[in-house]
Amino acid sequence: MILNVGKKATRIFLSALAAASFLACSKGTNSPQANLLTAPTQPRAEALQQLSVRVTSTSPFLTGVLLHSNSPFHHPGLSSTFQIDPTKRSEQLIGLLYPTADNFRASVSTRSGERIECNQVPQSGLMTAHSTLTLTFSCRSENVTLMLTRQPVAMERIAAEQTLQALRSQATLMLRDKLETVEITVLNDKLIFNSSAQLTSYPLSAAEHGKIISGQSRVILNNATAQCLQTLCNTVPGSLALRLGTAGELLLETISATGETLKTFAHRPNRSLRVASYNVENFWDDLPHNSSAYDDYSDQFSNWHSGGFAEKKARRIRAALIAAGLPEVVALQEIESAANQSRSLELLKLFLSELGYNHYALGQQAQDNPTAVTTAVISKFPLAENTRIDFLFKPDELKEDEQKDFIGASRDPQRVSVVLPEGIVFTLLNSHWKSKRDKSPWGDVMRRSLAELMRVHIETLRTAEGKPASAIIVGDFNADYREVPVYAGLQLVQSLAEARTDQPAHKLVPLWLTLSAQQQGDYPHDSHFQALDNIIITRSLLQDGPLALGAALQVVGRSGFAASVLGNGDGLPLRSQLRKYKDSAGQMRTTHFDLGFSDHLPIVAHFDRVLAGSSRPATVLFAQSIETQKLSDLPQVEIEGALCAANLEPKPLSSLASVQPGECVALTQIALEMQKTGLHHIYVQPTGNAENAQPQEKIVITADRAFGANKSWLRGTLQSSAGKTLTAVRGRVGYVEGYKAIFIHSPETDIRFE
């Protein structure tokens, strides 16, 4: 479980000082306890590995490669089989693997449709961090050679509770960094650390053991004090601490020499519940004729079906959910409807069932008013019902031809009941509201009508049950929750302080209020982050229902490691990459790329499940400034962009291929002709023909804050610079229309052309 814990000097799992502390503590390692880890009989919770697989040699008759992990220590929580496209230069694979050469086997598919099992050419070796391993397989008369590069991946990319379960089952938790491997085992009456093959064992009483695995105690280990098993302990520089977090997580952290606490990973108790909302940006299935798809996803005008992009999109949704920590219940938007016959969820099952998602529900749409896209819910817990709330917006004041767009956007909200193991049942309303693209004032009327419909539905639930309803409203509202159609239609509270009063009981609580204004927003629009995606709860879930709010709303991808996965070079979401162009006949066509995730970021709400007969968790309280901030006073947050250092070391042009989204790069001593203009970007062409070049052969030059501070420069100076020569550029790397792009921050200092 490896996490970026700070600047480059501390970007190892344990700081150098902490590692030294373990070595200094390792006296007496010849004790009987030293043999406990030599022949483990318990399953290991291996460190999460990210493997970059590159097909370096293959036969042209092969159409696919399946790489399997047969490690005896493979964790059952994640996939052990990865599909690789031989035509791709590289592909990121996520899995819990023990990466030795003999832990892999492969099979291939041929153009004739035959599946062939391969034999690995004998070799050996253990992959260390950032090392490569070459595997060669013989598949009858065909051969394939793979080059695997291993890199650590952050803890956020796997369900935290899986690791906690490993500790509770007395398994070994392995933590890898650039320097060494540290194993932590809670075994009966001992807390055992294995650092560089040297064991340190600390005795635990039964009570202490229970407190550690339940997250009720803080343990600090260092070379000065052997142990500290108390609720509160002094922080000693150079130590490792295991403690209970503010939201009920079990945290393992290191304390630097300066006394700074560096968070490493978190485990949430089994009684937690995480509910997410995620607009995945148009997930169409793999059947080309089961609906009248948008042209961007049709068999005639796009490569969606010929390129197998439905399955590729499913993989990327999987990666986004892993980055979000695999919430137990996920509400999705922009799933193909296909008259309620979409195969999209079946594709998701192929990649998500092994992660514990075994329950799926496609949002049903009225047969007399079919819509192109719908909603869906995937869950680790059973779904007792899946119904729709009928909604049709057809104002008599509009002419028939003017009504069409509103009728087509009258998507019926989805209602499901989620059944938790304790018998707790809560209602989830999932919806996708009409966009504001047409700028019509009737759009606000439509959104308010839908808001009022959902509020009345919640009130009906409360009246029918005779008690406060346990309900959560989620979805993409295509309007900020601070806008009148949303807050007035749903009747939202103005502040958390108001929500904690007894009256009025029917008002709903938007969880954006648990964050400061600067943290609010998951969707970029006109140079501002807007809070278009929402998780809104009934007041009973705030403090006195069977579920209790346990933490602030989480926006996945605004910061931290998830931002390096879901973010682009301009600090905005790395949306699904496609390029539109006109063919020789003037027909608009779309090319999809296996890149990007969505133009929205996932948001996650954290709850505690209140077990029968158990004490209620303490009501979560936030800072006074958060508790009292009023919805009507909160401004939208301007997107500021991110400046790269002026003394950035120049790189050769060839290095751009290995730079990841969000990283800074400076290219100097170049002379590239600026060729084709766009509204906010321009291409340069290092090699090849400009019209027929592959995506990686073009480079896009653009800027962050395209609808803000840099808008005039982009539409004026850059747009008219075709034919000039680019001699130097500095900025963050990302993607635009499937091409590698450099987003500059300041035209005055970050670019030079003549």
Side-chain angles (χ1 to χ4, degrees), residues 494-509:
Q494 279 289 312
S495 67
L496 290 176
E498 177 189 344
R500 298 191 191 281
T501 62
D502 294 335
Q503 298 296 333
H506 69 277
K507 285 202 171 183
L508 303 173
V509 185

Side-chain angles (χ1 to χ4, degrees), residues 92-135:
Q92 296 298 306
L93 307 179
I94 303 299
L96 289 178
L97 304 171
Y98 200 88
T100 59
D102 57 359
N103 284 152
F104 296 97
R105 58 187 177 86
S107 60
V108 298
S109 55
T110 67
R111 293 189 181 276
S112 63
E114 184 181 13
R115 173 69 63 186
I116 302 174
E117 293 293 328
C118 304
N119 296 317
Q120 185 180 157
V121 176
Q123 56 204 299
S124 62
L126 174 67
M127 293 182 68
T128 58
H130 304 288
S131 68
T132 60
L133 183 67
T134 300
L135 302 178

Side-chain angles (χ1 to χ4, degrees), residues 283-285 290-291 293 334-338 342 344 362 372-374:
F283 179 26
W284 244 260
D285 68 16
N290 67 338
S291 71
E334 290 196 15
I335 305 293
E336 183 189 16
S337 174
S342 173
S344 297
L362 184 72
V373 292
T374 187

Side-chain angles (χ1 to χ4, degrees), residues 477-497:
F477 292 0
N478 269 312
D480 195 285
Y481 80 106
R482 291 161 283 202
E483 296 180 34
V484 173
V486 181
Y487 80 74
L490 287 173
Q491 293 195 16
L492 303 180
V493 297
Q494 279 289 312
S495 67
L496 290 176

